[in-house]
Amino acid sequence: MQYTSTRNNSINASSSFAIASGISSEGGLFVPTEIPRITDDFIESLVPMTYIERARAVLSLFLTDYTAEEIEKYTLGAYGTGFSSAEVAPTVPLGGELNILELWHGPTCAFKDMALQLLPYLLTGAAKRVSDGKETVILVATSGDTGKAALEGFKDVPGTRILVFYPENGVSPMQKLQMTAQTGNNVGVSAIYGNFDDAQTGVKRIFTDEKVKAKLAAHNMAFSSANSINWGRLVPQIVYYFSAYADMIKLKKTRNGEKVNFTVPTGNFGNILAAYYAREMGLPVNRLICASNANNVLTEFLTTGRYNRNRPFFTTVSPSMDILISSNLERLLYHLSGNDSETVKKLYSSLSATGEFTVDGAILDKIKEIFAAGFCDDTETKATIANVFKNGRYLCDTHTAVAVSVYKKYTAATGDTTPNVIASTASPFKFSKAVLEAVGDGKAMPSDEFEMVDALEKLTGTPAPSQLKALKGAPVRFEKTVKKDEMEGAVYALLGING
Ligand SMILES: *Cc1c(COP(=O)(O)O)cnc(C)c1O
C-alpha cells in the first residue's frame, strides 16, 4: 500500500515513510492512494475477537510494510496492560439509541490514548527503516489531551524526544497538571501565549522550516509529529469504529450489514475522519454526525460548503474542541475532490490568504450524503450532562455531552432512527468543575481541583480514575510560557542545542 500527499499527488511513500515524517515536505498531509475494501466476512470475523485481535486485523490492511510480528508485538504493547477496561474500548448501551463508545480507559483518560499508546511503536519501527539512525524529535501542539497522551506514550522511549506546546489559558487545570508534572528524561513542555490554533500553526511552521531542519540534522535529529496530521495517529482510530460495530452486533443492537450512525465530538477532525475511512472501507455507516461546541466552523462548513475561520474564538467547557482550523479536513477534501491535490492546494492557499474557502457543489453534495453536523453551547452541554445522569445514572464528560446534545437535535430534526453510537472521548473527571456544576446541588464549589474530583465522586457514586487521583501533590517540572514567535527558540532550549 502506498501513500501520497494532499498537496502533491505525484509523491509516493510507504507507510513507514509517512509515519516517520509526520507531514509531507511541501506541507501536505499523507493519505493512502487507495482505501482498502473489506471482504464480506471481515466484520463477522471481528465479532468474537478481543480488541487487540480486531486491531491487528484492521491495521494490517493499511500498514503493509510492517511485518505481522511487528504488528502483533505493537498491539500487545499498546493495548495489553495500559487500559483500565479489559475490553479496551467498551460500547455501553444506555437505552434508546444512546450507545456510548468509551474511548478513555487509557493512561491519560482521553481518547487520544487509543492512538498514542500505539504510535511510539509505529514510529520507532518506521524510523529503523527510513531515518538512518537519527534521533526522532516529536513536536506536539495540544488543545489539552494530545499533549499528555503523547508524553505518556513517548516518555523514555529510546531514540525519541518529545516537546509539547499548549495554550496557556486553553486547557483544564487537570489537563495542565497532567502535562506540567510529566515525568521522563526525554520530555519537554511549554505553554504559549495564544490559543490552540496559534500553537498548531507555530508547530507546523517549525516543522517545514528548512533552516530548523538543517540545525536538527547537524545534531543527528529529525522532526516527526504526534498530532493527528500524522497518519500513524489516524490509522489506530479506524480500529475502534470496526470494534464498536462488532460490539453493536454482539449487543444485538444491529445485524451485520445494517447501517449505524456515529456521532463524534469534533475539533481537529481526526476522530471523525477515521470514521470516514472506516465507512469508505465498507463498514455499514449511514451518517457521520459531526458535533461541535460554540466554535462551530465545521457545522457551517459541512452544511454550506463555506469554511470561514474569521469568527470569534470561544473558550468553552469542552476545551479539546476549541479549534477553528481543523487540519484533518484537508484529507477529506483530497478524497472528495477525487484525489485532486491541485484543488486542495488552491483551497488552502485561499485559507491562509483570506481565512476562508468554499468548495464546489459536487464536493458539497458528497459531504451532505455522508455527514450531518450541529453544535451546542456551554449551557446546553451542562444541561445534557445533568440529563444523561438523571436518566441513566451515567456520568459523561463535557465533550461527550456535546455529542449527545447534537445527536438529540439531529434526531429531532430528521426523525432518523438508525442505531447510533456516540464516541465518548474523555473521563468526566478531567473536567470536574464543569461536570460538577452540571450535576451538583448548587452548594459551594470547592476551589481545589482534587476536592472537586472527590466531591464529584461522592455525589455521583462514579469512581474517579486512579491515574488522575495519583496526580495530587505531583511536583510541577515545567512552568515556562513563551510568545508565539519564541517557539522556535523554546524548541532549541528544550533540546539543549544552540539556537
Ligand atoms: C481531541 C479531542 C476531541 C476532538 O477530536 P479531533 O480528533 O481533534 O476532532 C474531542 N474530545 C476530546 C476529549 C479530545 O481530547
Side-chain angles (χ1 to χ4, degrees):
M1 228 188 114
Q2 291 292 302
Y3 292 78
T4 187
S5 164
T6 50
R7 298 195 195 180
N8 178 1
N9 64 9
S10 68
I11 287 176
N12 245 320
S14 65
S15 56
S16 290
F17 184 85
I19 290 170
S21 317
I23 190 168
S24 188
S25 54
E26 81 299 339
L29 307 185
F30 286 106
V31 281
T33 53
E34 233 176 280
I35 298 169
R37 293 284 303 182
I38 53 169
T39 54
D40 288 347
D41 54 357
F42 184 81
I43 289 170
E44 203 60 61
S45 75
L46 296 180
V47 176
M49 287 184 186
T50 64
Y51 190 84
I52 290 180
E53 291 165 336
R54 290 171 181 174
R56 287 174 187 159
V58 175
L59 293 174
S60 56
L61 297 174
F62 282 100
L63 305 176
T64 47
D65 57 329
Y66 290 80
T67 65
E69 292 75 51
E70 282 177 316
I71 290 178
E72 195 171 321
K73 190 175 131 206
Y74 297 172
T75 48
L76 190 64
Y79 305 119
T81 55
F83 284 73
S84 60
S85 162
E87 293 162 274
V88 180
T91 305
V92 178
L94 293 188
E97 287 313 334
L98 283 187
N99 303 293
I100 308 283
L101 171 60
E102 292 183 345
L103 299 170
W104 40 264
H105 291 283
T108 76
C109 308
F111 93 95
K112 305 295 197 294
D113 289 324
M114 299 303 300
L116 282 162
Q117 283 295 298
L118 187 67
L119 183 66
Y121 292 99
L122 296 177
L123 216 141
T124 47
K128 255 191 274 163
R129 281 188 277 275
V130 301
S131 301
D132 45 84
K134 284 201 185 74
E135 192 171 26
T136 303
V137 177
I138 312 288
L139 213 51
V140 179
T142 185
S143 58
D145 290 324
T146 295
K148 175 62 180 178
L151 288 160
E152 268 311 296
F154 281 97
K155 81 166 175 205
D156 295 329
V157 172
T160 72
R161 305 262 212 122
I162 168 143
L163 308 177
V164 172
F165 291 97
Y166 70 91
E168 195 205 11
N169 294 319
V171 303
S172 82
M174 186 63 89
Q175 288 177 313
K176 184 169 178 172
L177 182 61
Q178 279 187 304
M179 292 187 280
T180 54
Q182 178 66 43
T183 59
N185 289 320
N186 63 340
V187 304
V189 176
S190 176
I192 69 151
Y193 297 109
N195 61 34
F196 170 74
D197 293 315
D198 297 320
Q200 175 159 261
T201 304
V203 160
K204 260 187 148 179
R205 196 195 58 71
I206 294 170
F207 253 134
T208 43
D209 184 324
E210 292 301 329
K211 277 197 326 283
V212 186
K213 278 200 262 184
K215 207 163 285 175
L216 257 73
H219 290 84
N220 203 32
M221 295 174 178
F223 281 130
S224 187
S225 168
N227 279 106
S228 54
I229 54 172
N230 193 323
W231 177 250
R233 269 286 298 280
L234 276 175
V235 66
Q237 297 182 173
I238 299 172
V239 174
Y240 51 71
Y241 289 102
F242 280 93
S243 180
Y245 188 87
D247 284 343
M248 288 288 279
I249 296 174
K250 249 186 164 167
L251 291 165
K252 302 205 170 11
K253 291 276 177 187
T254 192
R255 279 192 305 247
N256 192 5
E258 284 176 0
K259 290 185 173 175
V260 301
N261 289 339
F262 286 103
T263 307
V264 185
T266 298
N268 222 352
F269 211 74
N271 200 356
I272 198 166
L273 185 74
Y276 165 80
Y277 280 116
R279 187 182 187 274
E280 291 303 297
M281 290 167 73
L283 188 70
V285 175
N286 174 33
R287 279 303 158 95
L288 300 176
I289 302 163
C290 176
S292 302
N293 62 25
N295 296 295
N296 56 5
V297 64
L298 284 168
T299 313
E300 182 182 61
F301 174 68
L302 295 171
T303 49
T304 69
R306 176 164 179 247
Y307 194 95
N308 181 10
R309 59 162 297 205
N310 303 314
R311 58 177 71 224
F313 177 89
F314 298 106
T315 301
T316 73
V317 293
S318 45
S320 301
M321 294 153 62
D322 292 347
I323 292 174
L324 294 179
I325 308 173
S326 300
S327 29
N328 273 294
L329 190 65
E330 179 167 344
R331 286 185 162 108
L332 180 74
L333 296 173
Y334 177 81
H335 293 300
L336 294 186
S337 65
N339 299 347
D340 181 357
S341 50
E342 286 310 307
T343 295
V344 172
K345 249 167 59 185
K346 261 186 233 135
L347 293 175
Y348 278 82
S349 59
S350 159
L351 184 68
S352 67
T354 67
E356 63 173 290
F357 62 70
T358 302
V359 296
D360 66 29
I363 294 180
L364 182 59
D365 287 346
K366 285 186 208 159
I367 288 173
K368 286 190 166 170
E369 214 179 286
I370 303 170
F371 293 92
F375 71 98
C376 75
D377 64 19
D378 281 355
T379 309
E380 292 170 299
T381 304
K382 288 186 191 167
T384 303
I385 294 173
N387 222 295
V388 170
F389 186 69
K390 197 170 111 223
N391 294 332
R393 303 292 294 172
Y394 183 87
L395 195 63
C396 72
D397 95 294
T398 48
H399 305 75
T400 307
V402 168
V404 173
S405 170
V406 167
Y407 172 68
K408 296 229 151 132
K409 288 186 193 181
Y410 167 81
T411 51
T414 61
D416 186 355
T417 56
T418 308
N420 178 68
V421 176
I422 306 263
S424 174
T425 49
S427 158
F429 291 93
K430 280 192 105 160
F431 308 95
S432 293
K433 181 162 188 277
V435 176
L436 198 53
E437 281 165 359
V439 297
D441 48 13
K443 282 206 206 119
M445 279 285 273
S447 58
D448 175 79
E449 186 68 16
F450 291 93
E451 281 173 32
M452 286 185 214
V453 169
D454 291 342
L456 192 55
E457 217 176 11
K458 217 161 124 203
L459 181 71
T460 64
T462 309
S466 57
Q467 305 93 299
L468 297 181
K469 294 183 99 174
L471 278 170
K472 189 173 176 174
V476 168
R477 294 179 65 199
F478 301 100
E479 285 183 292
K480 225 177 139 115
T481 305
V482 301
K483 297 199 192 93
K484 284 185 263 184
D485 57 5
E486 294 170 346
M487 286 172 68
E488 185 181 324
V491 167
Y492 301 139
L494 289 165
L495 290 175
I497 64 182
N498 287 330

